[in-house]
């Protein structure tokens, strides 16, 4: 999953970013409210983690403005204030959940999982292409009813290809949706991951699903 973290305290931000990356997520970091707002307008994110006390634009304003721009990405608010009123204001403004600092990293992870699951169940039933199926909520992939183990990056890449079935996706599109801003476009890491996926998804099957479109990118389809 691709996450946006809006947090001005460098130490807290790098701790959260590092921890989430270890869980297989891609994390972009904005260190003030204004930057966070502009980055949050991009619909590539699966979740936004938003600190309330921010320079340039406070978190609640960022939240309100993103919602007024019809951005429906789930938003988890972080705050040191914990009064009932603050929580109610945050949730009424359009936050999906609320976490009070300091928090245990395990709790942050559990809440993120719950939010992503809720989103997954709401808008993504099981994806299928021919005999390949991917369950976003349960994180399961199978082909011909045989379970396939994927790393989190492979899973994210396959999910993106399947959501774009029969549509050619360029390396740029893949990098924007599956990797984070630090992605180096000069590397061949996408091709490497596509090859990993091919080995796991297509190698033992006569009908191949992942196809190269020379000079452009890739497409997942039945031919
Ligand atoms: Ca702060």
């Amino acid at each position: 999953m691709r996450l946006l973290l809006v947090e001005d305290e460098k130490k807290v931000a790098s701790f959260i970013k590092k921890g989430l990356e270890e869980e297989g997520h891609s994390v972009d970091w904005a260190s003030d409210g204004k930057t966070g707002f502009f980055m949050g307008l991009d619909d590539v994110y699966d979740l936004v983690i938003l600190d309330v006390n921010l320079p340039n634009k406070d978190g609640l304003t960022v939240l309100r403005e993103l919602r007024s721009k019809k951005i429906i990405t789930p938003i988890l608010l972080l705050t040191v204030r914990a009064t009932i009123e603050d929580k109610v204001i945050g949730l009424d403004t359009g936050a999906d959940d609320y976490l009070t600092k300091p928090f245990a990293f395990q709790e942050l992870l559990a809440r993120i999982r719950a939010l992503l699951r809720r989103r997954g169940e709401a808008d993504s039933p099981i994806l299928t292409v021919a005999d390949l199926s991917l369950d976003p909520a349960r994180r399961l992939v199978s082909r011909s009813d045989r379970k396939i183990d994927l790393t989190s990056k492979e899973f994210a890449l396959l999910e993106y290809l399947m959501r774009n079935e029969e549509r050619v996706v360029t390396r740029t599109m893949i990098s924007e949706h599956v990797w984070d801003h630090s992605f180096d476009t000069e590397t061949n890491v996408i091709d490497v991951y596509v090859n990993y996926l091919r080995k796991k998804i297509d190698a033992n099957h006569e009908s191949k699903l992942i196809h190269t479109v020379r000079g452009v990118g890739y497409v997942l389809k039945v031919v």
Side-chain angles (χ1 to χ4, degrees):
M1 295 288 130
R2 178 131 177 221
L3 312 181
L4 171 62
L5 171 64
V6 191
E7 164 67 78
D8 58 315
E9 289 159 73
K10 213 174 174 183
K11 251 186 168 165
V12 179
S14 65
F15 165 74
I16 295 176
K17 183 170 156 67
K18 196 164 158 268
L20 291 174
E21 284 170 350
E22 282 168 8
E23 292 288 307
H25 299 295
S26 302
V27 183
D28 289 329
W29 174 42
S31 60
D32 69 272
K34 230 177 188 169
T35 311
F37 170 70
F38 283 114
M39 290 172 77
L41 289 175
D42 199 334
D43 72 353
V44 299
Y45 297 106
D46 299 291
L47 180 85
V48 178
I49 302 168
L50 179 62
D51 188 29
V52 169
N53 297 314
L54 290 170
N56 289 334
K57 205 187 265 277
D58 71 90
L60 286 177
T61 306
V62 173
L63 172 63
R64 194 175 302 117
E65 291 183 2
L66 284 176
R67 290 303 186 231
S68 77
K69 295 278 184 193
K70 306 278 178 264
I71 298 296
I72 56 160
T73 311
I75 295 179
L76 172 66
L77 282 181
L78 300 180
T79 186
V80 283
R81 292 178 301 187
T83 67
I84 299 294
E85 288 79 8
D86 285 331
K87 292 186 185 181
V88 169
I89 290 170
L91 295 171
D92 279 352
T93 307
D96 296 86
D97 202 357
Y98 214 105
L99 193 55
T100 308
K101 290 176 178 177
F103 51 82
F105 192 70
Q106 289 307 317
E107 185 177 7
L108 176 67
L109 282 183
R111 289 185 187 240
I112 288 172
R113 271 197 302 271
L115 286 173
L116 293 175
R117 197 160 50 229
R118 217 189 290 165
R119 176 183 164 97
E121 280 162 4
D123 68 12
S124 58
I126 294 169
L127 306 171
T128 58
V129 176
D131 55 355
L132 174 66
S133 85
L134 179 147
D135 181 341
R138 291 189 189 74
R139 319 274 314 154
L140 295 176
V141 174
S142 66
R143 185 153 187 202
S144 296
D145 294 324
R146 286 186 63 174
K147 193 171 167 286
I148 298 168
D149 285 318
L150 299 181
T151 65
S152 53
K153 222 31 160 192
E154 291 163 355
F155 187 94
L157 177 59
L158 182 63
E159 182 177 357
Y160 183 67
L161 290 171
M162 289 180 78
R163 286 192 189 282
N164 289 284
E165 182 190 354
E166 293 193 8
R167 223 182 301 163
V168 177
V169 293
T170 64
R171 288 178 183 79
T172 305
M173 290 162 73
I174 293 173
S175 71
E176 281 174 2
H177 287 267
V178 183
W179 272 269
D180 63 29
H181 279 173
S182 61
F183 181 77
D184 180 358
T185 49
E186 301 298 310
T187 68
N188 65 343
V189 68
I190 289 174
D191 308 87
V192 170
Y193 272 90
V194 169
N195 281 330
Y196 290 157
L197 264 188
R198 279 191 160 130
K199 284 196 186 110
K200 294 184 177 181
I201 301 297
D202 277 342
N204 302 320
H205 296 266
E206 199 157 315
S207 85
K208 309 297 181 197
L209 295 174
I210 300 171
H211 307 275
T212 304
V213 182
R214 210 167 286 279
V216 185
Y218 295 97
V219 60
L220 188 141
K221 64 175 179 180
V222 184
V223 285

